[in-house]
Amino acid sequence: MSDRYAIPERFYSEGVKRYGFHGLSYEYIAGRLAEMAPSVAKGRVIIAHLGSGASMCAIADGKSVETTMGFTPLDGLPMGTRPGQIDPGVLLYMMAQKGMTAADIEDLLYRNSGLKGISGISNDMRELEASNAPAAALAIDYFVYRIGLTAGMLSAALSGLDGFVFTAGIGENSSAIRARVAEKLGWLGVILDPIANRDGSALISQPQSKVALYVLPTDEELMIARHTVSLLGQKR
């Protein structure tokens, strides 16, 4: 059910469905978490792949049950140059009222939206964090807000939350973003350890936190290599 859109069945049969992306990253992180904290990994976990491309995935007992991306990598969280969730009516408005072509809209959605579109400055979180421009602050605020909002949705899909993992470029390297997201998750019982977060430790929540917070580097290339070796082995 979670892979469907509320459109006629014929489109689903043709392959118009929610696929989700960053699967290799989630597979790797789920494996690493199982090695580091098996009890947490067997529970209800959200993995936040926060980079130029950003998405979040809800995992129960090591298996994905919900994700933010859909038919394409445009859906879900705002990203470096992609908008994330957007009302389809906005796209119809652009076509009908602004005279934009499909190519124009594609260029806007893939290359000129997201953090870059909001800030008008950059798609790079490092540049936005270093900027004093109000538009840069707005882009960061929006990014954090949508992560917090999405965490609530995914927690509902999991019927609770035991662990939250930050990964990818922003998730692994921006202690400020991690701290702000952790604050958004306070209602779930998250208590951040500021020193561990500042130092980039793997576990960045305090012992009394109801949700364990982790920072784990992802390795999608390793997963590609593993799957390639497995596939080649099957063909022998």
Side-chain angles (χ1 to χ4, degrees):
M1 182 175 65
S2 62
D3 68 341
R4 289 179 173 267
Y5 292 108
I7 55 178
E9 173 67 24
R10 66 180 183 276
F11 292 106
Y12 183 82
S13 300
E14 293 170 2
V16 179
K17 60 181 72 175
R18 298 182 67 243
Y19 292 96
F21 294 83
H22 291 138
L24 292 170
S25 178
Y26 295 133
E27 182 181 8
Y28 177 81
I29 294 298
R32 285 289 292 121
L33 188 63
E35 295 171 357
M36 293 181 55
S39 61
V40 175
K42 290 180 180 179
R44 302 160 296 183
V45 177
I46 293 174
I47 301 175
H49 181 109
L50 307 177
S52 181
S55 69
M56 293 167 66
C57 185
I59 296 179
D61 192 18
K63 296 181 180 180
S64 171
V65 298
E66 184 59 84
T67 187
T68 58
M69 285 186 174
F71 180 63
T72 72
L74 288 172
D75 203 4
L77 299 178
M79 305 169 225
T81 61
R82 286 171 273 172
Q85 184 181 18
I86 186 170
D87 182 346
V90 174
L91 311 184
L92 296 176
Y93 165 81
M94 291 176 177
M95 295 175 68
Q97 302 299 322
K98 307 300 289 186
M100 296 176 68
T101 65
D104 293 334
I105 294 174
E106 181 178 22
D107 185 64
L108 175 69
L109 296 180
Y110 278 98
R111 301 177 184 87
N112 292 294
S113 296
L115 298 178
K116 180 182 178 182
I118 295 177
S119 71
I121 297 171
S122 175
N123 65 315
D124 192 320
M125 181 59 75
R126 293 168 296 186
E127 293 184 28
L128 297 179
E129 289 184 318
S131 174
N132 293 321
L138 175 62
I140 296 172
D141 288 346
Y142 184 77
F143 185 67
V144 171
Y145 171 74
R146 297 302 301 188
I147 294 170
L149 199 66
T150 301
M153 177 191 74
L154 295 180
S155 296
L158 291 166
S159 298
L161 190 63
D162 302 304
F164 189 100
V165 183
F166 294 94
T167 192
I170 298 172
E172 294 170 26
N173 297 299
S174 178
S175 60
I177 293 295
R178 293 195 300 265
R180 292 188 60 179
V181 171
E183 185 177 4
K184 290 286 187 184
L185 303 181
W187 67 278
L188 287 166
V190 167
I191 304 176
L192 180 72
D193 182 333
I195 296 175
N197 181 49
R198 181 199 64 195
D199 295 343
S201 301
L203 178 64
I204 62 169
S205 54
Q206 296 187 27
Q208 66 268 36
S209 179
K210 293 182 180 179
V211 178
L213 296 181
Y214 294 91
V215 182
L216 299 177
T218 191
D219 196 337
E220 294 169 285
E221 291 79 7
L222 177 60
M223 297 311 302
I224 292 172
R226 286 177 176 174
H227 284 295
T228 301
V229 170
S230 176
L231 182 61
L232 291 175
Q234 294 174 13
K235 291 185 176 181
R236 290 179 180 176

Coordinates of all heavy atoms in Angstrom, one line a residue, residues 182-225:
A182 N 17.6 17.5 16.3 CA 17.3 16.9 17.6 C 16.4 17.7 18.5 O 15.5 17.1 19.2 CB 18.7 16.7 18.4
E183 N 16.5 19.0 18.4 CA 15.5 19.9 19.1 C 14.1 19.7 18.6 O 13.2 19.6 19.4 CB 15.9 21.3 19.0 CG 15.1 22.3 19.8 CD 15.6 23.7 19.7 OE1 16.5 24.0 18.9 OE2 15.0 24.6 20.3
K184 N 14.0 19.5 17.3 CA 12.6 19.3 16.8 C 12.1 17.9 17.2 O 10.8 17.7 17.2 CB 12.7 19.3 15.2 CG 13.0 20.6 14.6 CD 11.8 21.5 14.7 CE 12.0 22.8 13.9 NZ 10.8 23.7 14.0
L185 N 12.9 17.0 17.6 CA 12.5 15.6 18.0 C 12.3 15.5 19.5 O 12.1 14.4 20.0 CB 13.5 14.6 17.5 CG 13.8 14.6 16.0 CD1 14.8 13.5 15.7 CD2 12.6 14.4 15.2
G186 N 12.4 16.6 20.2 CA 12.3 16.6 21.6 C 11.0 16.0 22.1 O 10.9 15.3 23.1
W187 N 9.9 16.2 21.3 CA 8.6 15.6 21.7 C 8.6 14.1 21.7 O 7.7 13.5 22.4 CB 7.5 16.2 20.8 CG 7.6 15.8 19.4 CD1 8.4 16.3 18.4 CD2 6.8 14.7 18.8 NE1 8.2 15.6 17.2 CE2 7.3 14.6 17.4 CE3 5.9 13.8 19.3 CZ2 6.7 13.7 16.5 CZ3 5.4 12.9 18.4 CH2 5.8 12.8 17.0
L188 N 9.5 13.5 21.0 CA 9.6 12.1 21.0 C 10.5 11.5 22.1 O 10.7 10.3 22.2 CB 10.2 11.6 19.6 CG 9.3 11.7 18.4 CD1 10.1 11.6 17.1 CD2 8.2 10.7 18.5
G189 N 11.0 12.4 22.9 CA 11.9 12.0 24.0 C 13.4 12.0 23.7 O 14.2 11.5 24.4
V190 N 13.7 12.7 22.6 CA 15.1 12.8 22.2 C 15.9 13.8 23.1 O 15.4 14.9 23.3 CB 15.3 13.3 20.7 CG1 16.7 13.7 20.4 CG2 14.8 12.2 19.8
I191 N 17.0 13.4 23.6 CA 17.9 14.3 24.4 C 19.3 14.2 23.8 O 20.0 13.2 23.9 CB 17.9 13.9 25.9 CG1 16.5 13.8 26.5 CG2 18.8 14.9 26.7 CD1 16.4 13.4 27.9
L192 N 19.7 15.3 23.2 CA 21.0 15.3 22.6 C 22.2 15.5 23.6 O 22.0 16.2 24.6 CB 21.1 16.5 21.6 CG 22.3 16.7 20.8 CD1 22.5 15.7 19.7 CD2 22.3 18.1 20.2
D193 N 23.3 14.8 23.3 CA 24.5 15.1 24.0 C 25.3 16.1 23.2 O 25.9 15.7 22.2 CB 25.3 13.8 24.2 CG 26.6 13.9 25.0 OD1 27.1 15.1 25.0 OD2 27.0 13.0 25.6
P194 N 25.3 17.4 23.6 CA 26.0 18.4 22.8 C 27.5 18.2 22.6 O 28.0 18.5 21.5 CB 25.8 19.7 23.7 CG 24.7 19.4 24.6 CD 24.8 17.9 24.9
I195 N 28.2 17.6 23.6 CA 29.6 17.4 23.4 C 29.9 16.3 22.4 O 30.7 16.4 21.5 CB 30.2 17.0 24.8 CG1 30.1 18.2 25.7 CG2 31.7 16.7 24.6 CD1 30.6 18.0 27.1
A196 N 29.1 15.2 22.5 CA 29.3 14.1 21.6 C 28.9 14.5 20.2 O 29.6 14.1 19.2 CB 28.4 12.9 22.0
N197 N 27.9 15.4 20.1 CA 27.5 15.9 18.8 C 28.6 16.8 18.2 O 28.9 16.7 17.0 CB 26.2 16.7 18.9 CG 25.7 17.2 17.6 OD1 25.6 16.5 16.6 ND2 25.4 18.5 17.6
R198 N 29.1 17.7 19.0 CA 30.2 18.5 18.6 C 31.4 17.7 18.1 O 32.1 18.1 17.1 CB 30.6 19.5 19.7 CG 31.7 20.5 19.4 CD 32.4 21.0 20.6 NE 33.0 19.9 21.4 CZ 33.4 20.1 22.7 NH1 33.1 21.2 23.3 NH2 34.0 19.1 23.3
D199 N 31.7 16.7 18.8 CA 32.9 15.9 18.5 C 32.7 14.9 17.4 O 33.6 14.2 17.0 CB 33.4 15.1 19.8 CG 33.9 16.1 20.9 OD1 34.2 17.3 20.5 OD2 34.0 15.7 22.0
G200 N 31.5 14.8 16.9 CA 31.2 13.8 15.8 C 31.2 12.4 16.2 O 31.6 11.5 15.4
S201 N 30.8 12.1 17.5 CA 30.8 10.7 17.9 C 29.7 9.9 17.2 O 28.8 10.5 16.6 CB 30.5 10.7 19.4 OG 31.5 11.4 20.2
A202 N 29.8 8.6 17.3 CA 28.8 7.8 16.6 C 27.5 7.9 17.3 O 26.4 7.9 16.7 CB 29.3 6.3 16.5
L203 N 27.5 7.9 18.7 CA 26.3 8.0 19.5 C 26.3 9.4 20.0 O 27.2 9.8 20.8 CB 26.3 7.0 20.6 CG 25.1 7.0 21.6 CD1 23.8 6.7 20.9 CD2 25.4 6.0 22.8
I204 N 25.2 10.2 19.7 CA 25.2 11.6 20.1 C 24.0 11.9 21.0 O 23.7 13.1 21.3 CB 25.2 12.5 18.9 CG1 24.0 12.3 18.0 CG2 26.5 12.3 18.1 CD1 23.8 13.3 17.0
S205 N 23.3 10.9 21.6 CA 22.2 11.1 22.5 C 22.7 10.8 23.9 O 23.7 10.0 24.1 CB 21.0 10.3 22.2 OG 21.4 8.9 22.1
Q206 N 22.1 11.4 24.9 CA 22.4 11.1 26.3 C 21.7 9.8 26.7 O 20.8 9.4 26.1 CB 21.9 12.3 27.2 CG 22.6 13.6 26.9 CD 22.2 14.7 27.9 OE1 21.9 14.4 29.0 NE2 22.3 15.9 27.4
P207 N 22.3 9.2 27.8 CA 21.8 7.9 28.2 C 20.3 7.8 28.5 O 19.6 6.8 28.3 CB 22.6 7.6 29.5 CG 23.9 8.3 29.3 CD 23.5 9.6 28.5
Q208 N 19.7 9.0 29.0 CA 18.3 9.0 29.4 C 17.4 9.3 28.2 O 16.2 9.3 28.4 CB 18.1 10.0 30.5 CG 18.3 11.5 30.1 CD 19.7 11.9 30.4 OE1 20.7 11.2 30.2 NE2 19.9 13.2 30.8
S209 N 18.0 9.5 27.0 CA 17.2 9.8 25.8 C 16.3 8.6 25.5 O 16.8 7.4 25.5 CB 18.0 10.2 24.7 OG 17.3 10.4 23.5
K210 N 15.0 8.8 25.2 CA 14.2 7.7 24.8 C 14.4 7.2 23.4 O 14.0 6.1 23.0 CB 12.7 8.1 25.0 CG 12.3 8.4 26.4 CD 10.8 8.8 26.5 CE 10.4 9.0 27.9 NZ 8.9 9.5 28.0
V211 N 15.1 8.0 22.6 CA 15.5 7.7 21.2 C 17.0 7.8 21.1 O 17.5 8.9 21.4 CB 14.8 8.6 20.2 CG1 15.2 8.2 18.8 CG2 13.2 8.5 20.3
A212 N 17.6 6.7 20.7 CA 19.1 6.8 20.5 C 19.4 7.5 19.2 O 18.8 7.2 18.1 CB 19.6 5.4 20.5
L213 N 20.3 8.5 19.2 CA 20.7 9.2 18.1 C 22.1 8.8 17.6 O 23.0 8.8 18.5 CB 20.7 10.7 18.4 CG 19.4 11.5 18.7 CD1 19.7 12.9 18.9 CD2 18.4 11.3 17.6
Y214 N 22.3 8.5 16.3 CA 23.6 8.1 15.8 C 24.0 9.0 14.6 O 23.2 9.5 13.9 CB 23.5 6.6 15.4 CG 23.3 5.7 16.5 CD1 22.0 5.3 16.9 CD2 24.3 5.1 17.2 CE1 21.8 4.4 17.9 CE2 24.1 4.2 18.2 CZ 22.8 3.9 18.6 OH 22.6 3.0 19.6
V215 N 25.3 9.0 14.4 CA 25.9 9.6 13.2 C 26.7 8.5 12.6 O 27.8 8.1 13.2 CB 26.7 10.8 13.5 CG1 27.3 11.4 12.2 CG2 25.9 11.9 14.3
L216 N 26.3 8.0 11.4 CA 27.1 6.9 10.8 C 27.4 7.3 9.3 O 26.4 7.6 8.6 CB 26.2 5.6 10.8 CG 25.9 5.1 12.2 CD1 25.0 3.9 12.1 CD2 27.1 4.8 13.0
P217 N 28.6 7.3 8.9 CA 29.0 7.5 7.5 C 28.4 6.4 6.6 O 28.4 5.2 7.0 CB 30.5 7.5 7.5 CG 30.9 7.7 9.0 CD 29.8 7.1 9.8
T218 N 27.9 6.8 5.5 CA 27.3 5.8 4.6 C 28.4 5.4 3.6 O 29.4 6.1 3.4 CB 26.1 6.4 3.9 OG1 25.4 5.3 3.2 CG2 26.4 7.5 2.9
D219 N 28.1 4.3 2.9 CA 29.1 3.9 1.8 C 28.3 3.1 0.7 O 28.2 1.9 0.7 CB 30.1 2.9 2.5 CG 31.3 2.7 1.6 OD1 31.2 2.9 0.3 OD2 32.4 2.3 2.1
E220 N 27.7 3.9 -0.1 CA 26.9 3.4 -1.2 C 27.8 2.6 -2.2 O 27.3 1.6 -2.8 CB 26.1 4.5 -1.9 CG 25.1 5.1 -1.0 CD 24.5 6.4 -1.6 OE1 25.2 7.4 -1.6 OE2 23.3 6.4 -2.1
E221 N 29.0 3.1 -2.4 CA 29.9 2.4 -3.4 C 30.2 1.0 -2.9 O 30.3 0.1 -3.7 CB 31.2 3.2 -3.5 CG 31.0 4.6 -4.2 CD 30.5 5.6 -3.3 OE1 30.3 5.4 -2.1 OE2 30.2 6.7 -3.9
L222 N 30.4 0.8 -1.6 CA 30.6 -0.5 -1.1 C 29.5 -1.4 -1.4 O 29.6 -2.6 -1.7 CB 30.9 -0.5 0.4 CG 31.2 -1.8 1.1 CD1 32.3 -2.5 0.5 CD2 31.3 -1.6 2.6
M223 N 28.3 -0.9 -1.2 CA 27.1 -1.7 -1.4 C 27.0 -2.1 -2.9 O 26.6 -3.2 -3.3 CB 25.8 -1.0 -1.0 CG 25.7 -0.7 0.5 SD 26.1 -2.1 1.6 CE 24.9 -3.3 1.0
I224 N 27.3 -1.2 -3.8 CA 27.3 -1.5 -5.2 C 28.3 -2.6 -5.5 O 28.0 -3.6 -6.2 CB 27.7 -0.2 -6.1 CG1 26.5 0.8 -6.0 CG2 27.9 -0.6 -7.5 CD1 26.9 2.1 -6.6
A225 N 29.5 -2.5 -4.9 CA 30.5 -3.6 -5.1 C 30.0 -4.9 -4.6 O 30.2 -5.9 -5.3 CB 31.8 -3.1 -4.4

